Every structure is written in C-alpha cells, then in structure tokens.
Amino acid sequence: QVQLVESGGALVQAGGSLRLSCTASGRTFSMYTMGWFRQAPGKEREFVARINWSGGSTVYADSVKGRFTISRDDAKTTIYLRMNSLKPEDTAVYFCAASSRSIPAAQAMAPEYWGQGTQVTVSS
C-alpha cells in the first residue's frame, strides 16, 4: 500500500506564507508524479500543482501561478508546497496526491493515491 501524509496546514493572515509537506511511505517506487489538490467548503476539489520524478517538470493552476512553488526532495518520497502571498480564497483542505504515470503537460492529473488532507485557513 501507499500512504501519503500531509502536514504544515495552519491559520495565517492574508499576505503571509506557509509551507506544506507530504511524506510518502509503502510502494513509493510507483509514484512518478506527485502533486497537490485543494477543496474549499461547498466547492469541487481542484488541482493546485504537480511535479515529476526528477523534479524538472512542474505544472501549476493559474490561480496559484507565481505565488506557490512545488518541490521534491532527493529521495523522491517527500514533496513540498511553498505558498506565498496567501489570499482568503486559498482557504481549503489541501490534499497530497500521487500517480504512477508520466503526465503530458496538457493532460490533467488523475491521482491513484491520496492523503487525508491538511487545513489551510487564510484570514483577511
């Protein structure tokens, strides 16, 4: 089995910064693509960012481009999401996700594995 565990969610003021972490365990060799999704109350879960195995290819949602940065450690078992210039509309539960596939830039990520989420709340 693959387990994904997120951490780092917190209450922050608008304009502040936060870093989320996701650590994988189990069959981590199959996680070629990892990324982040988020879900706000009453809304659909939406894609935030993803990164490939080497860390050389990243994709961001337009809503976070220029503010958020995704990265991956050398062991490939942990990913991070650095969030700067946070806005109240960033408030959501953030989920770590993983796929065994290499995903073309124009194609949406369809995760096979999910974490349980970490709450990010941005106050105005």
Side-chain angles (χ1 to χ4, degrees):
Q1 296 282 3
V2 172
Q3 288 80 230
L4 303 174
V5 180
E6 307 94 334
S7 64
L11 171 65
V12 297
Q13 292 185 322
S17 297
L18 199 62
R19 189 179 76 160
L20 306 183
S21 299
C22 172
T23 299
S25 61
R27 305 194 209 109
T28 57
F29 53 83
S30 65
M31 294 182 289
Y32 185 87
T33 306
M34 295 183 68
W36 295 92
F37 289 70
R38 67 186 182 186
Q39 188 168 24
K43 292 188 175 182
E44 298 285 325
R45 188 172 298 186
E46 65 176 354
F47 169 77
V48 176
R50 71 182 190 229
I51 189 166
N52 73 339
W53 181 260
S54 69
S57 180
T58 57
V59 178
Y60 296 91
D62 288 342
S63 60
V64 305
K65 199 171 298 180
R67 298 189 297 121
F68 291 9
T69 303
I70 189 170
S71 60
R72 193 165 192 167
D73 72 356
D74 291 339
K76 318 300 182 186
T77 57
T78 302
I79 61 167
Y80 306 92
L81 187 69
R82 168 60 69 181
M83 304 182 291
N84 294 325
S85 302
L86 283 162
K87 305 174 181 179
E89 49 263 47
D90 294 318
T91 295
V93 176
Y94 283 70
F95 296 90
C96 183
S99 172
S100 63
R101 299 188 302 134
S102 174
I103 306 168
Q107 187 172 326
M109 181 180 177
E112 300 164 36
Y113 312 102
W114 294 92
Q116 291 191 317
T118 186
Q119 177 71 48
V120 173
T121 302
V122 184
S123 62
S124 60

